[in-house]
Amino acid sequence: MKRILSLLFLAVASTAYAAAPFGDSHLLNDGWQFALCRHSDMLHMPDTAHWQSVTLPHDWSVRGAYSPDRYSATGYLPGGVGWYRKTLDLSADRAGQRVNLYFEGVYNRSRIYVNDSLVCARPNGYISFACDITPYVRFGASNRIAVCVDHSREADSRWYTGSGIYRNVWLGFSEDLHFDLWGVYAWPQEVSEQKGVLSVEIGVKNESQSRARTRVVCELVDPRSGKVVCERRLTFEAAPSSVTPIRTSLVVKRPARWSLEQPNLYILRTTLYHDGREIDRNEFSTGFRTLTFDPDRGFALNGEWIKVKGVCLHHDAGVLGAAVYRDVWKRRLETLKSLGCNAIRTSHNPQAPVLYELCDELGMLVLNEAYDEWEYPKRKWLKGWNVGEPGYDGSCDIFARYAEEDLADMVRRDRNHVSIFAWSIGNEIDYPNDPYSHPALDGGGAGGFTQPVFGGYKPEAPDANRLGEIAKRLVSVVKRYDCSRPVTAGLAGVAMSNCTEYPSALDITGYNYTESRYDSDHETYPERVIFGSENRHDIEAWRAVAERPHIFGQFLWTGIDYLGESGPWPSRGFYSGLLDFGGFVKPRGHFRAALWSENPVIYLGSYPIGRQRNDDVWSQYSANSDQPSMDAWPIWNYEEGEVIRVVCYTNASSAELLLDGKVLQSRKANDTTSGIIHWDIPYVPGELTAVGYDADGHEVSRYSLCTTGRPYALTVEEIGRSEELVQLLVRVVDEQGRQVMLADNDVRCDLSGGELLGMEGSNNEDMSNYTDNQHRVFHGQMVVYVRPSSDKALTCRFTSPLLRPAILSVE
């Protein structure tokens, strides 16, 4: 009998800017000082030029200088050892309360000091953690917090990680009796159109030495009406010096289910009372849905079989580095969704809480991943991707001590997010001979291997049979804290891993770049649920999903260009994204929309035959192809008479080409081989238009390119604003106001009423400073990030030699 894994799921998401998950919490991002220094006595370093004022989130690496003497793995940017400090005044009125610091993420190997005493340490740079600082603080006095961040092992990752306190920090106060950290957990017992039954588990922590008679009230609120739709009240005794578990359930009639199209959310409000007084409260959003995984039919959300159209995402945002700003990621996710993307994979570590909150709100599935390496290090390329001698620094030295604790904390922190539909315990841990090996590797290409570069079986290497043993242990950790979702991993050496217990330890199995085994493994392992956990952008990889019901989806590498895993200098990072570093759609994003989107899509790009630039980083290591490019920019400026390839990405049945409103090339059917319609024509200036038609010959879409004039002026517009960040789009235009795609003008930014965080031109080969006030546009545009002042109006003036300036004021 085939195995069908059906999961009823309800999860918790945070509201706009979720506080720390305990007590009375306050954001603690302002008023920090930072020094980049190796001195061990920085705890006592006086105010000198070493210290600078910073606001969190803060990533010091991205503000360093790119240098060819650094490492390609991390984008040629520096690491080092940094210290943060802050004075914390605690009112005497708080005496008797417990005090916690909650860090959403510190990269990495952090140590937390309070009044010169070491309070706690956490080496994993991606894991959120809390420190109880109650025994170390003085109420009614000033207290000094210091954080040492040790990223001296600079090339400790295969990609850019950032350095510092790059996510939010919270200060939390509580009574001795309070909710445990991440202690409120909810999941469904039943979900249907008529009824939703939500099971709730609550951990109440009693840090006193006495038993406490306590009451908990659970309320489920419909945010659309503001009404409480279900309530439960429970009275119990909390045992001293322990966590008391409480279980209840909430029943909702005709629940509005969470889906990709309608991400309906409720609010679960849990309140703790003692002696008739409210002493703790926990609130978060929640949504009903069902998940079904079937080895023959794939994946169903709420009973509807769908294809997962996913992308892999690292956590940096170009010039902002690893520092996380909600509005930046909201704009990025909304743009990805507009292209037809419905899922992301957190490659390859847990990300900031805000990312999951946004996916809950926007209707995006999340594959939440924990590790890129386990007990042994992988190769870290230092002089270019897959070039030269690698390094072997990493996080494997902390795996034995912290692996299960880190994984448990990831699951406990994130398990209540409706967007998460699966947990991943690792990525490419089974990469052949990097580091694990197996006799099966002597099988050669016929065995189905896609990474033969490191040779055959190496008996001196770690035994691949350990993969199954470790996977079982990690899976059991996940199941201990959440049984509502499947556990998976991204397998890179599937043929090797098939000879171990690794795949059988998983609920669903991710294949990285191994589409060739989709059919054979489905036949050999009929109970295995298979999907593409990491895939290239070519149309063949998508057809391998679209044409096979048993393959439920794919995750492209990548959704957005990211820092690190760079090629030889000059190269900031890996640039196969649908979006560029600034979050703007690249040509291949339009190509993907033509494959994925349910809405009409048409796009026009061009390049001289034989001179096209291929932005797929993998293709630079392989032979060139005559296939039409998916990286054609929307440019129509060439030498008259030069033969130009014009490409059209569309989901229309056919398209024709017009020049200045007249038919230049008659209709062509959509090319089923390349997914691209193309014409080779001599260049004539004017307005070039592609018109898309449906199967009945009706126009459904059109897209135009214009020959532009010389750069004439700068324009600026606001594309995002919040209290923490303003995002500005700066363009170079001609006299008719059209963006000049060939422009690379140097632009200067002068502002008042704010702090300039960076100017992101999105050019992978530009290794200049992105954080000063002068930078070149790329393809005629850039995004500029500004932190506004709380008490002054923001005014930004953009200038460039020989161009008309642009000024924008934000009240």
Side-chain angles (χ1 to χ4, degrees):
M1 176 183 293
K2 70 182 182 181
R3 180 180 65 174
I4 300 178
L5 180 61
S6 295
L7 303 173
L8 297 179
F9 175 71
L10 185 153
V12 177
S14 302
T15 50
Y17 213 161
F22 56 82
D24 176 19
S25 298
H26 305 265
L27 197 60
L28 204 65
N29 285 352
D30 296 330
W32 290 83
Q33 290 185 307
F34 169 73
L36 187 61
C37 186
R38 291 182 178 272
H39 298 314
S40 60
D41 62 348
M42 289 295 287
L43 279 173
H44 308 99
M45 182 71 71
D47 292 329
T48 65
H50 285 289
W51 295 100
Q52 58 179 294
S53 296
V54 298
T55 300
L56 307 182
H58 179 254
D59 174 4
W60 81 68
S61 285
V62 80
R63 306 192 73 83
Y66 290 98
S67 171
D69 296 328
R70 298 291 180 182
Y71 307 110
S72 60
T74 53
Y76 300 102
L77 285 166
V81 177
W83 283 82
Y84 295 83
R85 70 183 188 184
K86 178 179 175 63
T87 299
L88 183 64
D89 294 322
L90 295 179
S91 169
D93 294 341
R94 293 286 188 179
Q97 293 186 318
R98 306 201 69 82
V99 187
N100 280 268
L101 291 175
Y102 180 72
F103 295 86
E104 291 185 1
V106 184
Y107 200 90
N108 62 348
R109 302 178 187 270
S110 60
R111 302 193 304 274
I112 317 301
Y113 298 85
V114 175
N115 294 326
D116 297 349
S117 296
L118 179 64
V119 175
C120 62
R122 198 60 176 259
N124 189 318
Y126 297 100
I127 296 296
S128 299
F129 61 98
C131 298
D132 183 352
I133 64 173
T134 310
Y136 305 92
V137 298
R138 298 183 294 264
F139 294 96
S142 292
N143 299 268
R144 182 157 64 174
I145 303 170
V147 180
C148 179
V149 185
D150 185 353
H151 193 195
S152 55
R153 307 183 191 190
E154 296 185 2
D156 62 348
S157 173
R158 297 194 294 153
W159 58 87
Y160 179 84
T161 61
S163 303
I165 308 178
Y166 68 100
R167 298 178 188 162
N168 294 322
V169 177
W170 299 87
L171 175 67
F173 299 96
S174 69
E175 307 289 340
D176 282 343
L177 194 66
H178 58 88
F179 293 124
D180 195 17
L181 178 64
W182 308 311
V184 182
Y185 172 42
W187 70 98
Q189 293 175 323
E190 179 182 344
V191 179
S192 68
E193 289 187 7
Q194 289 73 37
K195 184 172 70 172
V197 180
L198 174 64
S199 183
V200 182
E201 181 177 309
I202 304 161
V204 175
K205 191 170 187 177
N206 184 359
E207 299 192 75
S208 75
Q209 302 302 311
S210 304
R211 302 183 71 84
R213 189 72 174 170
T214 308
R215 180 163 56 96
V216 164
V217 177
C218 291
E219 300 169 293
L220 196 62
V221 180
D222 185 342
R224 294 170 289 278
S225 65
K227 295 181 179 179
V228 175
V229 296
C230 187
E231 178 182 303
R232 288 288 184 271
R233 296 171 179 265
L234 304 99
T235 302
F236 65 98
E237 280 198 351
S241 303
S242 64
V243 176
T244 301
I246 310 160
R247 294 177 177 85
T248 188
S249 61
L250 302 171
V251 180
V252 180
K253 294 180 180 179
R254 302 190 65 81
R257 285 184 284 187
W258 184 93
S259 69
L260 302 176
E261 298 77 21
Q262 294 184 311
N264 296 305
L265 297 170
Y266 292 81
I267 297 172
L268 180 62
R269 182 166 61 221
T270 310
T271 310
L272 180 65
Y273 295 90
H274 180 57
D275 291 337
R277 181 172 59 93
E278 178 182 319
I279 59 173
D280 205 354
R281 176 177 291 200
N282 191 298
E283 288 191 9
F284 37 75
S285 299
T286 185
F288 293 91
R289 72 169 185 185
T290 64
L291 306 173
T292 303
F293 296 86
D294 184 290
D296 295 324
R297 302 183 68 185
F299 168 67
L301 177 64
N302 296 326
E304 178 184 355
W305 300 99
I306 66 171
K307 293 295 186 182
V308 170
K309 303 169 182 177
V311 295
C312 300
L313 290 183
H314 278 313
H315 72 165
D316 76 87
V319 66
L320 297 175
V324 178
Y325 296 92
R326 179 187 177 89
D327 279 11
V328 171
W329 281 99
K330 182 179 181 182
R331 180 170 66 86
R332 287 173 157 220
L333 292 172
E334 287 177 334
T335 303
L336 286 171
K337 188 162 186 177
S338 74
L339 302 179
C341 175
N342 61 21
I344 66 167
R345 175 186 180 214
T346 65
S347 306
H348 299 288
N349 301 92
Q351 298 198 17
V354 67
L355 185 80
Y356 308 99
E357 296 167 14
L358 287 168
C359 289
D360 293 339
E361 297 166 11
L362 298 175
M364 296 276 281
L365 296 166
V366 178
L367 174 59
N368 203 17
E369 194 155 69
Y371 300 117
D372 187 55
E373 65 184 27
W374 288 350
E375 57 181 350
Y376 296 102
K378 290 181 178 178
R379 294 171 171 86
K380 317 299 190 301
W381 300 107
L382 307 180
K383 297 299 179 183
W385 192 59
N386 288 348
V387 173
E389 291 295 321
Y392 289 94
D393 277 337
S395 58
C396 61
D397 62 305
I398 64 173
F399 187 79
R401 163 64 180 84
Y402 285 96
E404 295 186 23
E405 180 181 351
D406 287 343
L407 181 59
D409 284 353
M410 180 189 86
V411 175
R412 293 180 69 232
R413 188 197 73 170
D414 296 338
R415 60 188 173 178
N416 291 320
H417 284 290
V418 67
S419 53
I420 297 172
F421 80 114
W423 305 105
S424 172
I425 58 173
N427 169 67
E428 296 186 346
I429 307 298
D430 63 335
Y431 201 105
N433 289 322
D434 189 19
Y436 293 93
S437 196
H438 190 280
L441 290 177
D442 283 336
F449 302 104
T450 59
Q451 302 94 350
V453 66
F454 300 132
Y457 174 49
K458 297 182 178 180
E460 72 279 7
D463 184 359
N465 283 302
R466 289 188 54 77
L467 294 167
E469 173 189 335
I470 298 172
K472 290 177 183 177
R473 192 169 78 243
L474 296 180
V475 169
S476 69
V477 172
V478 176
K479 300 293 187 183
R480 189 182 313 151
Y481 297 102
D482 177 48
C483 289
S484 68
R485 305 171 183 82
V487 183
T488 188
L491 305 188
V494 179
M496 178 182 78
S497 289
N498 281 343
C499 300
T500 75
E501 295 182 303
Y502 189 14
S504 63
L506 309 171
D507 297 312
I508 60 177
T509 310
Y511 283 34
N512 285 15
Y513 313 106
T514 321
E515 294 88 352
S516 61
R517 299 194 66 89
Y518 283 175
D519 291 334
S520 60
D521 277 16
H522 179 54
E523 181 177 351
T524 305
Y525 309 100
E527 294 187 354
R528 182 178 296 179
V529 179
I530 301 173
F531 69 101
S533 43
E534 194 168 310
N535 307 86
R536 289 178 58 164
H537 292 243
D538 55 272
I539 193 170
E540 290 80 10
W542 171 241
R543 288 202 179 108
V545 175
E547 296 172 359
R548 290 168 173 79
H550 68 280
I551 304 298
F552 73 71
Q554 68 170 188
F555 287 86
L556 298 178
W557 194 266
T558 61
I560 306 176
D561 292 349
Y562 63 92
L563 301 175
E565 272 191 301
S566 303
W569 178 276
S571 172
R572 298 169 68 200
F574 210 88
Y575 45 97
S576 65
L578 302 179
L579 313 184
D580 64 23
F581 292 108
F584 297 109
V585 181
K586 295 164 59 180
R588 63 176 48 212
H590 295 288
F591 174 72
R592 184 56 44 172
L595 298 179
W596 279 0
S597 180
E598 301 297 327
N599 301 316
V601 172
I602 195 165
Y603 168 88
L604 208 55
S606 68
Y607 53 87
I609 293 179
R611 290 200 287 119
Q612 70 269 29
R613 178 189 176 115
N614 195 327
D615 284 341
D616 183 349
V617 69
W618 290 288
S619 296
Q620 298 188 12
Y621 295 86
S622 61
N624 292 328
S625 170
D626 290 331
Q627 183 167 293
S629 174
M630 69 178 81
D631 295 310
W633 292 91
I635 296 170
W636 194 238
N637 287 73
Y638 299 99
E639 293 292 329
E640 190 124 11
E642 185 178 9
V643 179
I644 303 299
R645 174 158 290 180
V646 178
V647 298
C648 177
Y649 314 146
T650 184
N651 53 12
S653 294
S654 61
E656 68 181 358
L657 194 63
L658 312 179
L659 182 63
D660 292 334
K662 298 180 180 179
V663 175
L664 182 64
Q665 293 286 319
S666 57
R667 289 187 205 177
K668 272 190 174 184
N670 211 329
D671 190 303
T672 57
T673 301
S674 66
I676 302 172
I677 301 173
H678 76 279
W679 303 272
D680 294 338
I681 60 174
Y683 171 71
V684 176
E687 182 180 46
L688 197 66
T689 302
V691 181
Y693 298 90
D694 63 17
D696 297 323
H698 301 123
E699 180 180 332
V700 292
S701 53
R702 66 169 53 211
Y703 186 98
S704 294
L705 297 178
C706 288
T707 302
T708 57
R710 294 180 180 275
Y712 174 74
L714 297 174
T715 66
V716 58
E717 62 180 293
E718 180 185 303
I719 58 173
R721 187 205 303 193
S722 67
E723 292 183 359
E724 67 172 356
L725 193 72
V726 175
Q727 302 175 72
L728 303 175
L729 173 59
V730 177
R731 286 193 174 113
V732 175
V733 300
D734 64 11
E735 286 192 79
Q736 283 69 48
R738 299 170 300 197
Q739 182 174 334
V740 182
M741 291 293 297
L742 297 178
D744 65 349
N745 300 70
D746 199 30
V747 175
R748 177 186 173 93
C749 173
D750 293 290
L751 61 83
S752 61
E755 176 190 359
L756 179 63
L757 296 181
M759 305 173 72
E760 179 54 75
S762 299
N763 183 355
N764 186 58
E765 296 180 356
D766 185 346
M767 308 302 283
S768 62
N769 190 348
Y770 286 72
T771 60
D772 62 8
N773 71 333
Q774 197 160 326
H775 202 74
R776 287 189 178 276
V777 299
F778 185 56
H779 290 126
Q781 68 178 13
M782 67 167 60
V783 62
V784 178
Y785 301 110
V786 178
R787 178 184 289 125
S789 171
S790 60
D791 57 353
K792 297 179 182 178
L794 173 65
T795 299
C796 300
R797 176 181 171 86
F798 296 95
T799 57
S800 183
L802 305 180
L803 301 184
R804 290 194 171 186
I807 301 176
L808 181 71
S809 294
V810 179
E811 295 296 330

